Amino acid sequence: MAAGPDTSPPAGFTSSSAEGRQRTLRHLLSETPTFFKSPRQVNSASTTLSRNVFDKRLFIRPQSCTAENRRKALTASYPVSGTHSPMSRPRTSFSPRTPSERDRCATDSDSTARRPRTYRSYTASPLVSESQQDLTRHVTEAWSRVRRESLRRRMSRMTPEQRDSFRLLHNPAFQAARCVAVWKRARERCTHSRQNWREGDKAGIARFHHAARLVILVHRLRVAMTTLSRDRTVPTAAEMRFHTLHHDERVLAFNKDMYARRTEATMRLPRWATDIMGKPPRWRSEQECRRLHALLRCLKAFRVFSPRIQAIMCRSILYQFIEAERVVLRKGHHGSGFYFVYSGSVFVNAEDKNQATGEAFMRTEAVLGRGDSFGEIALLRGCPRTASVTVREPCELLIVDDKIFAEVCPKIFDAELDERVKFLRQVPLFAHRYWPPEALRQLCIETQMQEFKSDHIIVDDSEEDEWIYVCAEGQCKVLKSLVLEKESLTRPASPRGDPPSDVDTRRVSFAVHDDVIEDDDDVFHDEDQDSEEEEEATIDRSESMRSKSERMLRSIRGDHAEDNDQDPQASMDVFTVEVDDGSHDVSRAGRQRRPPEELDMTLRSLIEAQLRQRRKNDVVYVEIGILKRGDIFGLQETVGVSDSGPLILMSFGIGTRIYRLKRTNFRDLASEEATEHAKLLGYEKKYPSAEALLIALQEQSKWDVYKQTVVEEVLRHHRRPDRFPLRSPTEEKLRSRKVNRLVSTLSRCSDDILGLPGNAENTRKITEPIDAPSDDREREDIRRARKFDTPIVMRPKTMVARCGSMLARAGTGHTLNSGKISPHQRLVRQRVSAISSTSSDSSEAANGV
Ligand SMILES: Nc1ncnc2c1ncn2[C@@H]1O[C@@H]2COP(=O)(O)O[C@H]2[C@H]1O
């Protein structure tokens, strides 16, 4: 193995200086062109070898190192090819293997006092390998050994404190943090002064390179750790089943999920969003945060936080893409983040015990998908993770830092709690006398604030709902659904038998402009709240005002089941009605049918859904009240004084902001006195019963029919055959248009002419949406209608006067009146209803109702 003695060493080797050695090495390496492709490589290799190997570890006896000799020795010792080539497993320090080697070792060991070891190392060490990679690997190994040793030596000389700080300095995570800091500083310098950067902040660049290397190192470490973590996690049965079915190479059965359309689950975050989330918080601009906020509001779990908390989260939220089967967090570990699932899905695995054997095993508790969140328990309770979470399908997670989540959010939550208490205190229901501060605060913990844009159905069935609503800003309408036969209200009771055209017209007119619905719930939704947690929540409630985070957690987990139990049905006809007792003005509604999804719907969507499904029995929705700031909805149902049946709550105008309180909490926390007080308030603000509304609606319908009849009567003479029939077709056409125009205008103005008691204002409101149609066809219709009607619409006063005089001429006895109903009109209405009830049509209608 050892090279034979050489008598003619090259000049460089006689020198023991570092420079001489390097020169020799360069020379040596340049003669092996297969290994090094360029002079630069030769230079760098020689430098590395000289510094790391020669100088520190493998000091070569110069006399024996001629180029020729060395080549001979190496080729003799290590054949270039062959399966047993030591190059494949380089031996960097010599350790005797064969007996002859051992013998030689023994002999040499006698003279190790000087430097036989290094000599042996030289002879055995494959300093020049058959490939560059081998050489590099060898050198790297040698170098790392040298470093380790020197490190050990240095540390042995240190005090314990020094050792600790030294360890910290060499901790990969710490180094990574330093790298990032260096990188940031370098970038900052770069942005602040490009000139400086260019002119060569050489040290900065060097540091940057160093940082990059460290980042690579840390990344490798992380990969190794995650692989290890995955390998050590025993998959649950559900996980195994899922992955077996979903892995292409192991498809056992036909899995329809693989062919299903999965737009939701596979909806990925746009590039701009990941770019924003890749920036440090202070680099994110206001606009970027707002953009991110608008995007994340589509996530159910995100929406339940208040806008302020959402904004704070957007400032610091991070993005992470995780492959399938990876472990996101492990049970018992320290919690360091709160997660939203943007796409993909995860398994939540909890520990369980086999009843028979007592063995512990992991069981899949839940599968969370897009819009869900996890990881809040450990952060808010300060306990270890309560479950493990592994990735089911490749997943995009959004991570909120534990500091933000556990410190900032509860503070904001507390401030909002104070706000809620302050607001509710102003509402008569929660007067100090009935609700002591502690009870009110307790009630507010699970109170949520929601925001709705215009025409959003907030509650679709007040009897089934679990909440009491207190209007904080804006206005809401209270609607009531009445089931009736379509014919009863749409067929005219006029003796002439001409069907009125107003139902369809109004239906179109009520197809209000479309609104994108966005709401802000304040609290987490948790559908999987089990009885244990509820029990826990009750106990917590009794321990008044624990920690902020605990309260927040309770609030977060308190309500997930909302809004999901909607029964899609019902349709709505457009009607304007009046309740005779005058206590509740009523009005109109839109023909609706509830979409199957859920409460996230506008009036328009309801109307469209209804129009798709024609049914004999329709539901007419009638407005029976308006909720303003401080008004309450759902109180009667909570205290059991409601007899008005299911009601509907809908936002309108510029939208609304409401607080909602859990009915169960209200009942639990209200004292007897408070309950009595609530009952009293409930009685005071009772809505009319279904019967009263039906009667009012019927009367209204008759009134509409009567108006139609009057208009028809007035215009009859216009439709008489012409005395001079010799008109041109164009003239005929114009004439018929004129008549039609008059009819349509009169129909629309008839409310003003004949008077719609107390509802003139409301009538105007109904017709408003006509001016703001949403879809093109509708817009086109209205444009055409407008064009058609222009001369009349432009001069309403004249038109009304004309209609009034026409009506007077027709001998109806009505005078012009656009305000309240006069006693005379009331009389007319009674007469009309008497007439219509005798006619067969109207009696049919009455029976139907
Ligand atoms: N039964 C469950 N259903 C849904 N999610 C759960 C369940 N148990 C635990 N988790 C979530 O899994 C998370 C594990 O970490 P945490 O304990 O911080 O918070 C936990 C919850 O967010």
Side-chain angles (χ1 to χ4, degrees), residues 272 276 280-296 302 310-317:
W272 61 260
I276 295 174
R282 65 199 165 91
W283 287 8
R284 298 181 193 181
S285 68
E286 266 310 306
Q287 200 185 352
E288 284 174 339
C289 289
R290 246 180 283 134
R291 217 173 153 202
L292 202 59
H293 184 234
L295 179 77
L296 300 189
F302 186 78
Q310 285 174 0
I312 287 179
M313 283 181 174
C314 284
R315 194 148 269 293
S316 62
I317 202 159

Side-chain angles (χ1 to χ4, degrees), residues 471-520:
C471 183
E473 259 176 60
Q475 293 186 339
C476 303
K477 282 175 193 170
V478 180
L479 305 177
K480 166 94 183 126
S481 61
L482 300 174
V483 180
L484 71 164
E485 272 186 25
K486 202 173 179 181
E487 293 80 12
S488 66
L489 290 172
T490 56
R491 193 174 296 164
S494 75
R496 302 177 66 81
D498 296 331
S501 59
D502 65 331
V503 172
D504 274 348
T505 319
R506 288 186 199 182
R507 188 181 301 160
V508 174
S509 79
F510 213 75
V512 288
H513 52 99
D514 58 339
D515 268 318
V516 180
I517 296 183
E518 289 180 62
D519 58 335
D520 283 328

Side-chain angles (χ1 to χ4, degrees), residues 606-793:
L606 287 176
I607 291 166
E608 277 172 0
Q610 194 277 333
L611 287 175
R612 276 200 296 274
Q613 190 192 23
R614 295 188 176 281
R615 289 142 52 108
K616 189 163 185 271
N617 279 341
D618 284 341
V619 176
V620 177
Y621 285 73
V622 180
E623 183 187 312
I624 55 171
I626 296 220
L627 241 59
K628 292 194 178 126
R629 184 181 160 83
D631 289 345
I632 302 171
F633 177 81
L635 181 64
Q636 289 89 346
E637 288 81 359
T638 311
V639 291
V641 296
S642 165
D643 58 359
S644 52
L647 301 176
I648 292 148
L649 188 66
M650 186 180 91
S651 63
F652 84 103
I654 53 160
T656 185
R657 178 183 288 231
I658 52 174
Y659 285 109
R660 55 182 207 174
L661 330 162
K662 263 201 160 168
R663 285 184 190 175
T664 45
N665 286 359
F666 183 89
R667 289 191 201 112
D668 290 349
L669 293 166
S671 62
E672 239 175 63
E673 217 181 349
T675 314
E676 284 306 312
H677 175 60
K679 275 185 186 168
L680 266 178
L681 287 178
Y683 276 123
E684 264 176 34
K685 293 225 166 182
K686 247 168 104 174
Y687 294 109
S689 66
E691 289 72 33
L693 282 170
L694 274 172
I695 291 165
L697 185 62
Q698 189 185 354
E699 197 184 324
Q700 184 62 59
S701 152
K702 285 174 190 167
W703 182 243
D704 284 345
V705 168
Y706 168 70
K707 279 189 301 187
Q708 181 75 22
T709 318
V710 168
V711 170
E712 290 289 325
E713 283 290 321
V714 169
L715 292 173
R716 198 148 36 128
H717 71 280
H718 278 272
R719 288 185 175 165
R720 276 195 308 231
D722 203 342
R723 274 183 289 164
F724 309 100
L726 289 174
R727 289 189 179 200
S728 70
T730 324
E731 274 177 327
E732 276 300 327
K733 208 168 156 189
L734 279 173
R735 183 179 157 70
S736 87
R737 268 193 192 178
K738 200 175 160 193
V739 171
N740 285 341
R741 201 158 56 199
L742 204 57
V743 171
S744 73
T745 312
L746 277 175
S747 299
R748 281 200 277 121
C749 292
S750 57
D751 279 350
D752 283 342
I753 298 158
L754 300 177
L756 182 64
N759 268 347
E761 195 67 10
N762 289 340
T763 312
R764 225 164 287 133
K765 271 186 204 157
I766 306 172
T767 52
E768 263 167 19
I770 301 173
D771 298 328
S774 60
D775 79 52
D776 288 342
R777 227 180 82 203
E778 206 175 297
R779 200 173 290 133
E780 179 57 22
D781 283 351
I782 285 159
R783 197 185 61 77
R784 290 216 324 258
R786 274 205 182 145
K787 194 177 163 193
F788 198 62
D789 284 339
T790 307
I792 303 162
V793 171

Side-chain angles (χ1 to χ4, degrees), residues 329 348 365-366 368 373-379 384-389 528 557:
L329 48 92
V348 178
E365 283 278 311
L368 306 178
S373 63
F374 58 89
E376 74 285 359
I377 299 178
L379 303 189
R385 295 286 190 200
T386 55
S388 296
V389 177
D528 300 327
R557 300 183 68 77

